[in-house]
Amino acid sequence: MKFTLTAQDKLSKARAGEITTDHGVIQTPIFMPVGTAGTVKAVHQRELMQDIEAQIILGNTYHLYLRPGLDTLEKAGGLHQFNGWDKPILTDSGGYQVYSLTEVRKIKEEGVTFRSHIDGSKHLFTPENVMDTQRIIGADIIMAFDECTPYPCEYHYARRSLDMTHRWLKRCCDRFDNTEPKYGYSQTLFPIVQGSVYKDLRVKSAEVIASFEREGNAIGGLSVGEPAEEMYAMTEIVCDILPEQKPRYLMGVGTPVNILENIALGIDMFDCVMPTRNARNGMLFTKDGIINIRNEKWKNDFTPIEANSDLWVDTQHTKAYLRHLITSGEILGAQIASLHNLHFYLWLVKTAREKIISGEFYEWKKIMVNRLGQRL
């Protein structure tokens, strides 16, 4: 993997760049649609490529490990072959799901034992076998196995967890460096900065992660319930330490406003389930603010979903029709709303990139932050 910085905003720390992988080039800043179980929910791969113009998507190690399972994925030739997506893929380590989805789990130095949310079967994730699992899944960018601490988190727990995450990272790197990709293209490993909302722990973790000198770095453990101001403060601290010439990935973030604010702090890569999850519940993100399409005010609104959009469903369908579909529980409603939100997120980061390159980002961001957070 190669990262090239192409532009830097003069009034903030925002930057534009390019990540080159064996499956294609990713222009940053970028938003990565989440395809938890090998699919971005309610969206075809052709729509991802042609309508949303996604450059990279995510897969989830925990879910793919349980279903369809590693045997099927390996026989298919990896996730790219299995789901028909020929552009870059990033996989998380599955650690977050182990901690958040499974009530019966035990964390120890060896790794984490947990029970499947599907059938209750018992499993063990270690730094080593999570590297092996992501080799089999075949993502272009894979994540180190870490512990994502909850919020709020007591300081001493966060410190102990951080130290273990760093020890696990050494084991991840050793395993990764002593194994080879399975499908004829290269993979790269990103470590993850942790430390909850404690400045000294974030500084320590960022310094340790930077010392491993991997090709990119991630920031985890934010957007887990802490106030936005805490998220921005921790992101700023970490971005000032992580190397400038490597991409920075803020995991699980977030709202359109969160994304713009964190781009301004020096983040290059984002992912979040919010555009698709909220879409299925009738929440639309637009250039003018947030729409709850279930509200009565849209019942007889026969204007396009978003008139100044270049997405076909935005101009083909009305707000009244989409409201009818969503309130009726029609699958098409979830599809249209998901397409809309993902297209909007990709438009947002693409426009941010253009504004960084043209030198207009800072003023544009101030206008957009005020606009995007308002309820329509």
Side-chain angles (χ1 to χ4, degrees):
M1 192 200 82
K2 180 184 176 186
F3 179 63
T4 307
L5 272 177
T6 54
Q8 174 84 46
D9 181 52
K10 288 183 171 59
L11 297 175
S12 72
K13 295 170 186 173
R15 70 249 196 100
E18 285 190 346
I19 300 170
T20 304
T21 75
D22 288 352
H23 279 102
V25 175
I26 304 156
Q27 295 189 321
T28 64
I30 191 65
F31 179 82
M32 305 178 285
V34 177
T36 302
T39 170
V40 177
K41 283 185 172 60
V43 180
H44 291 113
Q45 265 68 318
R46 187 174 68 177
E47 293 169 328
L48 279 172
M49 293 177 187
Q50 297 180 4
D51 297 337
I52 294 165
E53 298 181 353
Q55 299 176 47
I56 175 174
I57 62 172
L58 263 68
N60 180 266
T61 294
Y62 168 89
H63 288 283
L64 292 168
Y65 162 81
L66 293 175
R67 282 191 304 211
L70 300 184
D71 183 57
T72 296
L73 286 167
E74 189 162 20
K75 286 176 179 173
L79 184 56
H80 290 89
Q81 294 295 319
F82 187 63
N83 73 355
W85 175 259
D86 63 2
K87 293 186 178 185
I89 295 176
L90 181 150
T91 43
D92 63 13
S93 69
Y96 179 79
Q97 282 69 32
V98 167
Y99 308 123
S100 65
L101 291 182
T102 58
E103 295 179 4
V104 184
R105 56 159 169 77
K106 183 176 287 187
I107 304 169
K108 49 189 177 182
E109 192 67 31
E110 179 190 9
V112 182
T113 54
F114 63 94
R115 292 194 179 276
S116 163
H117 71 285
I118 300 167
D119 61 9
S121 56
K122 193 174 181 181
H123 303 269
L124 170 68
F125 272 4
T126 69
E128 291 80 11
N129 70 25
V130 165
M131 294 299 97
D132 297 344
T133 294
Q134 290 182 90
R135 286 289 200 198
I136 292 169
I137 294 170
D140 301 85
I141 300 171
I142 75 175
M143 305 306 298
F145 191 54
D146 65 332
E147 182 184 1
C148 178
T149 51
Y151 179 85
C153 180
E154 195 259 338
Y155 178 85
H156 294 293
Y157 183 93
R159 187 179 65 188
R160 289 195 303 273
S161 171
L162 183 69
D163 290 340
M164 186 174 68
T165 285
H166 294 161
R167 293 193 298 272
W168 283 358
L169 175 58
K170 173 67 164 62
R171 290 165 57 189
C172 286
C173 289
D174 288 346
R175 185 59 153 238
F176 182 83
D177 292 341
N178 289 315
T179 54
E180 295 293 330
K182 287 185 169 288
Y183 310 115
Y185 54 85
S186 60
Q187 295 176 289
T188 191
L189 170 65
F190 281 23
I192 303 172
V193 176
Q194 290 287 353
S196 188
V197 292
Y198 300 106
K199 179 179 177 180
D200 61 321
L201 298 184
R202 286 285 173 179
V203 168
K204 176 184 177 182
S205 187
E207 290 172 347
V208 169
I209 264 59
S211 74
F212 276 81
E213 298 184 341
R214 308 310 295 196
E215 293 169 300
N217 298 293
I219 304 169
L222 295 175
S223 195
V224 291
E226 79 284 355
E229 292 71 27
E230 296 264 30
M231 179 206 307
Y232 302 145
M234 296 302 108
T235 300
E236 185 170 24
I237 288 165
V238 171
C239 282
D240 285 346
I241 297 169
L242 292 180
E244 185 178 337
Q245 297 302 320
K246 296 178 181 180
R248 304 170 184 143
Y249 164 31
L250 183 57
M251 305 179 74
V253 175
T255 67
V257 170
N258 291 159
I259 287 173
L260 289 183
E261 294 290 8
N262 282 297
I263 287 173
L265 296 173
I267 295 295
D268 307 295
M269 304 167 70
F270 300 88
D271 79 285
C272 190
V273 297
M274 185 172 284
T276 45
R277 179 177 290 169
N278 288 26
R280 296 192 300 274
N281 293 317
M283 179 181 283
L284 306 182
F285 299 99
T286 78
K287 296 168 188 173
D288 296 312
I290 299 167
I291 291 175
N292 181 351
I293 204 69
R294 291 178 174 271
N295 287 349
E296 187 77 13
K297 67 184 291 185
W298 310 114
K299 182 177 181 179
N300 293 317
D301 188 324
F302 303 109
T303 61
I305 294 169
E306 190 153 22
N308 61 344
S309 169
D310 61 2
L311 180 67
W312 184 80
V313 296
D314 278 350
T315 55
Q316 176 70 19
H317 300 302
T318 66
K319 297 181 183 76
Y321 180 59
L322 180 56
R323 180 184 183 276
H324 158 69
L325 295 175
I326 292 287
T327 57
S328 302
E330 287 290 339
I331 294 171
L332 182 59
Q335 292 176 298
I336 291 171
S338 297
L339 276 168
H340 166 84
N341 279 352
L342 287 171
H343 178 268
F344 171 76
Y345 267 63
L346 269 295
W347 170 85
L348 186 68
V349 292
K350 180 182 179 182
T351 306
R353 175 185 169 82
E354 291 169 355
K355 298 296 183 183
I356 293 166
I357 292 169
S358 68
E360 303 169 282
F361 173 78
Y362 186 74
E363 291 303 322
W364 173 80
K365 186 211 75 150
K366 285 199 297 186
I367 294 167
M368 293 304 290
V369 163
N370 288 330
R371 188 182 296 168
L372 297 179
Q374 65 185 358
R375 299 272 176 163
L376 299 178

